[in-house]
Structures are given as structure tokens and as C-alpha cells.
Amino acid sequence: MVKVFKFLQVAITLQGRQAGKKVVVIKQLDEGTKERPYPHAIVAGIERYPRKVTKRMGAKKLQSRSKVKPFIKVVNYSHLFPTRYALELESLKGAVTSDTFKEPSQREDAKKTIKKLFEEKYTNGKNKWFFTALRF
């Protein structure tokens, strides 16, 4: 079987609280684990997208509108829709592991690092499609 989900592949969630949000695959587990015997992936996504900015806005307003709220989650492959896009963020590799979900403090630390990486990527102007909400 062809591997559809690769590291840093962008996908869209189809089920659950974050349905319709864009995510990046951080780790894929094709065979599953003992706790989760189905194929799944650890993903990081955007819960709240940055707002529209214009040239007229000041630096303070621009900074507040450029904020991103991330989430991390373990998602079943059948609840993900793959896209043709990929993100160039090699530093995401060590940000989230399977152990991150065991303790809330580790989860918060992982979210903070992901938030910093996403906001940096957004301010650089790369991967514009990833940082815009889907239209329904």
C-alpha cells in the first residue's frame, strides 16, 4: 500500500472538534500501537487562524492579528484528508512525541513551541495557503 501521509504533509481533519482545520503530519504510525491498534498520525494544526492584515495597520495591531492558536492531536487516518501541500518545518520533528500526550504540562510546552514555529512561518510569508481558513 502506498504511504499517503508523510512527515510534514498537510492534511485536513474531517471528524471531531477540529473538523475542517488544516494540520501537518508530524509522525505517522501505519501499523498502529498497542493502545491504538489502527493506523493513525500525530498532527499539529491551527485552531484559530491569523486575521486579515493591511498596509495601513500599525505594528501593534499587525502583531496582535498575526497570532495563531495551535493544537496537537492523535488522529485516525480515516479522519484525515491528504492534500498536495507540504510544509518546510524540519524543527517540528522533535516538538511532539507519543509521550507528549501523557502529561498536560508537556502538551502545553509542545503547543508553545509549535505556536512559535507557526507564527514565525506566517510572518515570513511562506506557505500562505496553510494559514488561511477553508471556505465552506
Side-chain angles (χ1 to χ4, degrees):
M1 190 170 146
V2 179
K3 288 191 177 185
V4 177
F5 299 103
K6 298 178 181 91
F7 177 61
L8 298 178
Q9 178 81 31
V10 176
I12 298 168
T13 56
L14 300 174
Q15 295 288 321
R17 180 179 185 181
Q18 309 298 344
K21 306 288 182 174
K22 296 173 190 163
V23 295
V24 178
V25 176
I26 296 174
K27 187 174 183 182
Q28 63 277 16
L29 298 151
D30 296 325
E31 303 301 318
T33 59
K34 193 173 184 178
E35 298 87 32
R36 299 172 192 268
Y38 48 86
H40 59 279
I42 297 174
V43 296
I46 300 178
E47 191 171 331
R48 191 180 318 123
Y49 292 95
R51 298 173 72 191
K52 185 180 175 184
V53 292
T54 60
K55 291 180 189 177
R56 297 180 55 167
M57 292 178 186
K60 189 176 178 183
K61 189 159 196 166
L62 201 137
Q63 187 180 14
S64 69
R65 286 180 153 252
S66 297
K67 288 199 185 332
V68 173
K69 184 178 181 186
F71 68 89
I72 53 174
K73 203 170 184 177
V74 178
V75 183
N76 190 334
Y77 275 179
S78 62
H79 299 160
L80 287 175
F81 184 77
T83 64
R84 63 181 178 170
Y85 298 101
L87 221 60
E88 298 101 28
L89 275 175
E90 291 299 323
S91 50
L92 268 178
K93 194 162 192 91
V96 182
T97 60
S98 300
D99 301 330
T100 307
F101 297 97
K102 290 188 170 99
E103 203 171 310
S105 61
Q106 288 181 332
R107 195 180 180 108
E108 291 302 316
D109 292 340
K111 275 195 222 176
K112 284 177 187 171
T113 57
I114 289 170
K115 177 181 175 120
K116 191 172 78 174
L117 292 169
F118 279 170
E119 285 179 356
E120 187 179 298
K121 195 75 167 170
Y122 176 71
T123 53
N124 289 343
K126 300 282 182 182
N127 302 96
K128 212 171 193 175
W129 178 81
F130 184 70
F131 295 103
T132 56
L134 285 175
R135 294 179 297 143
F136 288 104

